[in-house]
């Protein structure tokens, strides 16, 4: 019985960590070899949320109104947290994990926002977010999907390679009642997976 329970737990854990990452444009990533720095730009212009794929503006309005109905002012405070999460949690998590994996694998390649001198730029186009939920006993991890585009910094319309990342899980041990923090773990997972993908495909 214990063996069955352990197997079931491992199976669920595997599903929770599943993530599809595919190179959909530009089969050759060799342009990354010899590079020291990659500029990073985050783009939320195509972001949708929830299973209904609501626009970000619609999601923010509906959630803020719902929270304000439950307790006046809470929705307005949440809106500030949501906007602050991009610069304060999500983007730093992504960049931290990209660079951590690169360093652990002995690769001298760093990703950073505002590195205009870098020859290449990674445009992180966030396309879909499911915030998940945590009710102590029952919980659902966040999920994050992105298009990761490598372009020339001097000509961002020239896409050298595009990688899709589907439904990266934002799961944590213990309870995490903050939607923004769970989403941040999805960004971290994507950054980690991207580094491993690039190391395997281009930086061996």
């Amino acid at each position: 019985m214990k063996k069955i329970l352990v197997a079931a737990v491992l199976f669920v854990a595997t599903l929770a960590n599943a993530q599809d990452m595919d190179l959909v444009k530009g089969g050759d990533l060799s342009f990354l070899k010899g590079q020291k720095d990659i500029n990073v730009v985050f783009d939320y212009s195509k972001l949708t949320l929830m299973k209904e794929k609501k626009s970000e503006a619609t999601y923010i309005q509906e959630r803020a109104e719902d929270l304000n109905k439950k307790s006046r002012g809470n929705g307005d405070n949440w809106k500030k947290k949501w906007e602050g999460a991009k610069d304060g949690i999500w983007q730093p998590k992504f960049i931290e994990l990209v660079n951590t994996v690169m360093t652990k694998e002995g690769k001298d390649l760093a990703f950073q926002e505002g590195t205009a001198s870098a020859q290449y730029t990674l445009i992180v186009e966030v396309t879909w977010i499911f915030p998940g939920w945590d009710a102590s006993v029952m919980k659902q991890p966040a999920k994050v999907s992105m298009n990761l585009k490598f372009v020339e910094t001097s000509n961002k319309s020239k896409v050298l390679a595009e990688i899709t990342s589907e439904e990266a899980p934002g799961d944590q041990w213990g309870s995490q009642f903050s939607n923004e923090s769970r989403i941040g773990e999805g960004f971290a997972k994507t950054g980690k997976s991207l580094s491993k993908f690039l190391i395997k495909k281009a930086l061996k």
Side-chain angles (χ1 to χ4, degrees):
M1 183 66 183
K2 287 184 178 180
K3 289 183 178 180
I4 295 174
L5 180 60
V6 170
V9 170
L10 290 174
F11 177 70
V12 171
T14 300
L15 288 179
N17 286 298
Q19 179 185 3
D20 293 327
M21 187 164 283
D22 297 302
L23 182 62
V24 296
K25 183 175 182 179
D28 185 4
L29 293 167
S30 61
F31 61 88
L32 292 172
K33 290 184 178 179
Q35 298 299 312
K36 298 293 184 181
D37 297 286
I38 300 293
N39 185 41
V40 182
V41 173
F42 289 87
D43 178 5
Y44 298 90
S45 63
K46 296 181 181 178
L47 173 61
T48 60
L49 294 106
M50 311 300 289
K51 293 179 180 179
E52 299 85 356
K53 294 191 175 181
K54 302 175 183 180
S55 70
E56 184 179 15
T58 298
Y59 172 75
I60 290 174
Q61 180 182 349
E62 291 180 353
R63 180 159 173 77
E65 288 176 353
D66 183 57
L67 291 172
N68 278 332
K69 287 178 183 177
K70 293 177 180 177
S71 181
R72 188 158 58 91
N74 279 2
D76 300 319
N77 290 331
W78 170 80
K79 284 171 68 174
K80 295 176 182 177
K81 283 176 58 180
W82 178 266
E83 285 303 323
K86 293 175 181 177
D87 288 325
I89 302 175
W90 304 348
Q91 293 164 198
K93 282 277 191 180
F94 178 91
I95 291 174
E96 177 186 351
L97 267 293
V98 168
N99 290 331
T100 296
V101 173
M102 286 290 175
T103 300
K104 284 184 177 180
E105 295 296 326
K107 306 301 179 183
D108 188 21
L109 178 61
F111 290 71
Q112 193 65 44
E113 291 182 88
T115 312
S117 60
Q119 185 175 356
Y120 302 109
T121 290
L122 171 65
I123 298 177
V124 180
E125 188 178 80
V126 187
T127 57
W128 182 71
I129 291 175
F130 176 73
W133 45 268
D134 191 333
S136 295
V137 178
M138 298 292 291
K139 60 187 65 180
Q140 176 71 42
K143 297 176 184 177
V144 180
S145 295
M146 302 179 185
N147 292 330
L148 305 161
K149 300 178 181 179
F150 284 96
V151 301
E152 291 184 354
T153 301
S154 60
N155 180 14
K156 292 185 173 61
S157 64
K158 186 173 182 179
V159 180
L160 303 172
E162 182 175 348
I163 300 165
T164 59
S165 172
E166 298 292 334
E167 300 191 6
D171 48 350
Q172 295 177 308
W173 291 106
S175 293
Q176 180 50 261
F177 300 110
S178 167
N179 286 358
E180 293 71 46
S181 293
R182 280 195 304 275
I183 293 167
E185 292 305 308
F187 274 70
K189 174 67 175 175
T190 306
K192 181 178 180 180
S193 297
L194 175 63
S195 261
K196 290 184 175 181
F197 185 87
L198 295 177
I199 290 168
K200 180 180 179 181
K201 298 292 184 179
L203 303 173
K204 290 182 180 179

